[in-house]
Amino acid sequence: MKFTGIYFDQEDEPKKSPAEIEFTAQQLKISIKNKSQPLVWDQAKLTSYCGGSNNHLYFFHRSEFKNPSFYIERSKELDQFLLKSSNLDLQKTVKKRNNKSKLNWTALALVVSIVLASFYFLFSLKDHAVDLIVDQIPYKMERQLGDTLFKNLKSQFEFVEDENLLKRYRAIAQSSLEKNAPPFNKIKLYIVKGEQTNAFAMPGGHIVFFEGALKEFKNYSEFVGVLQHELSHVRLRHSLKNILSSVSTYLLVSVFLGDASGLLAVLADQGSFLLRQSYSREYELEADNSAFDVLIENNIDPRGMVGFFKTLLEKSDSKIEENLEWISTHPATQKRIDNILSRYKNEVDDNLKAKLIINHAKFNKWKNEYYSKEKEAE
C-alpha cells in the first residue's frame, strides 16, 4: 500500500524531502524525490508515534536512528493497514491515537453540555442568574466597568470644569458620606451643563447631576436625599445588575466563565444607551429604603427625597420624557412617597426628629453663588 509523506535525512540538521512510502507485508520502500534509488527497510524495525495538530500525523523511524525518518498524514486507509501490521508497535500507535480521540470527543461533549446548560440556566432564570453573577464580580471590576461607561459618557455631554466650584461642591457632598462604609464613603461627583432635571449613577461610584436638577433643590436635605438614593443604587449594585440584564445571554455566560472583555466592548459601544435604562420599581424602593437608613444615620432629614419627588410631580406635563428625565428613569410613584413618610412617622422618634438637618448654610451659599454666576454669564 502506497502513501505520500515527508522524508528526513539523518544529518545534524535534517532536510525534508517529499517521498512516496510503500508498505508491503514485511518491508518498507521509500522513494525520495530527486534520488534514483529507493530505500528499502525491514518493517519490523520501525517504531512510531502520533504528532502534529490534533495528532493528525504519524511519525516513523528506525530504532537505530536518533531522529524520525519520515511522517505520513493520518488517513482511514493508513489506520486500517497499520492495525493489520505484524509490527505491534505500529498497532499500538494507532490504538493509542484512537483512544485519545475518543477521550477528546468525550471531553468536548462534556464542555458543550455544560455551556448549553449554562445558557439554558441563564436564559430561563436570567434575573436570578444576574444576581448570582453580580455576587461573583469583585468591586474592582465594577469600577473598571464604571470607568469605561464614564469615558464614553464624557464625550457626549458638556461637563462643568470649574475646579474651584467643583471642589466646594464635592466637599459639601462629602460631609454626608462620612458614615458610609468604604468604598462608598468617597465617590466621584460631576455636574453636567443643561436644563435636564436628571441625576444618575454608574457602577463604581460615578454620580452625575445635571444643572437643571441642582437648580430644583430647595434645601440641602433634598440634594443629599437624591445623592444617597443614587449612591444606594451603586451600593446595592443596581447599576451593574441593570446593565447585565440588558446584555445578551451569551455575554452573561462569558462573564460567568470569567471573561468580561465582551461586556467591556458592549459598554464602550452602547454605554449611554444601557445607562438610560429605567430601574425597576423594586430597585427604586430598595434604593429609597437604603438611602433613608443612611440619611438617618447622618442626622439628615429623609423627607428631602419626598420634597424633590413632589417638586418634579408638580412640574410634570405631557413632555415628561423630555423635561423630567429623572422621573422617567426613576419613577417617583405615590407609593414611594408614602413609604418614606410612613417610615419617618413610625421609625423616627421625636428626639431624633429635632436633630435632623434640613438646611445647610454652605450648600445654600454655594448654590446661590453658582446660579448667580450663571445668570451673569448669560
Side-chain angles (χ1 to χ4, degrees), residues 28-48:
L28 177 74
K29 185 166 72 173
I30 305 172
S31 300
I32 305 164
K33 188 175 181 181
N34 299 326
K35 289 196 176 184
S36 57
Q37 294 297 320
L39 300 174
V40 180
W41 292 348
D42 183 353
Q43 192 183 135
K45 293 184 177 181
L46 284 180
T47 59
S48 62

Side-chain angles (χ1 to χ4, degrees), residues 110-126 129 132-133 249-250 252-254 256-257:
L110 180 61
V111 170
V112 170
S113 298
I114 291 172
V115 171
L116 289 176
S118 299
F119 267 99
Y120 175 77
F121 171 73
L122 292 171
F123 183 78
S124 61
L125 299 170
K126 192 170 184 180
L132 177 64
I133 291 171
T249 304
Y250 169 78
L252 282 183
V253 173
S254 297
F256 183 74
L257 296 176

Side-chain angles (χ1 to χ4, degrees), residues 229 281 284-285 288-289 292 302-314 326-327 330-345:
H229 173 91
R281 296 193 183 278
E284 292 298 352
L285 192 61
D288 287 344
N289 285 326
F292 184 100
R303 293 175 300 171
M305 287 189 288
V306 172
F308 186 63
F309 291 166
K310 287 183 175 179
T311 297
L312 295 182
L313 289 173
E314 289 167 4
W326 205 80
I327 287 184
H330 301 68
T333 61
Q334 189 63 44
K335 181 179 179 180
R336 290 173 62 198
I337 292 173
D338 291 344
N339 172 63
I340 294 168
L341 293 178
S342 175
R343 289 196 62 187
Y344 180 83
K345 178 181 178 181

Side-chain angles (χ1 to χ4, degrees), residues 280-318:
S280 67
R281 296 193 183 278
E282 179 186 356
Y283 281 177
E284 292 298 352
L285 192 61
E286 191 178 11
D288 287 344
N289 285 326
S290 176
F292 184 100
D293 294 337
V294 174
L295 291 166
I296 291 296
E297 190 175 356
N298 282 276
N299 291 328
I300 298 170
D301 196 320
R303 293 175 300 171
M305 287 189 288
V306 172
F308 186 63
F309 291 166
K310 287 183 175 179
T311 297
L312 295 182
L313 289 173
E314 289 167 4
K315 288 169 62 66
S316 64
D317 53 27
S318 60

Side-chain angles (χ1 to χ4, degrees), residues 3 19 84 116 154 187 191 196 207 251 324 373:
F3 301 95
K84 295 177 181 178
L116 289 176
K154 209 167 183 184
I187 61 169
I191 302 174
Q196 294 170 306
I207 297 181
L251 281 179
L324 299 172
K373 287 182 180 180

Side-chain angles (χ1 to χ4, degrees), residues 100-207:
K100 278 187 177 180
S101 179
K102 289 178 182 177
L103 184 62
N104 289 340
W105 277 109
T106 302
L108 179 60
L110 180 61
V111 170
V112 170
S113 298
I114 291 172
V115 171
L116 289 176
S118 299
F119 267 99
Y120 175 77
F121 171 73
L122 292 171
F123 183 78
S124 61
L125 299 170
K126 192 170 184 180
D127 290 341
H128 297 292
V130 166
D131 290 341
L132 177 64
I133 291 171
V134 167
D135 288 341
Q136 304 304 314
I137 296 176
Y139 191 71
K140 182 179 179 180
M141 182 181 288
E142 188 168 349
R143 280 200 301 266
Q144 185 181 1
L145 298 181
D147 291 343
T148 301
L149 268 175
F150 185 71
K151 187 181 295 184
N152 180 298
L153 191 77
K154 209 167 183 184
S155 64
Q156 301 178 38
F157 294 99
E158 184 180 1
F159 281 73
V160 172
E161 301 290 351
D162 186 329
E163 284 302 321
N164 182 53
L165 181 150
L166 290 172
K167 184 177 180 180
R168 291 172 58 199
Y169 178 57
R170 288 164 178 159
I172 294 167
Q174 191 61 42
S175 65
S176 70
L177 302 171
E178 293 172 353
K179 292 185 180 180
N180 287 22
F184 306 110
N185 56 341
K186 293 183 180 180
I187 61 169
K188 298 173 183 178
L189 194 64
Y190 310 91
I191 302 174
V192 167
K193 294 182 179 181
E195 291 301 313
Q196 294 170 306
T197 311
N198 197 13
F200 54 83
M202 290 179 283
H206 298 271
I207 297 181

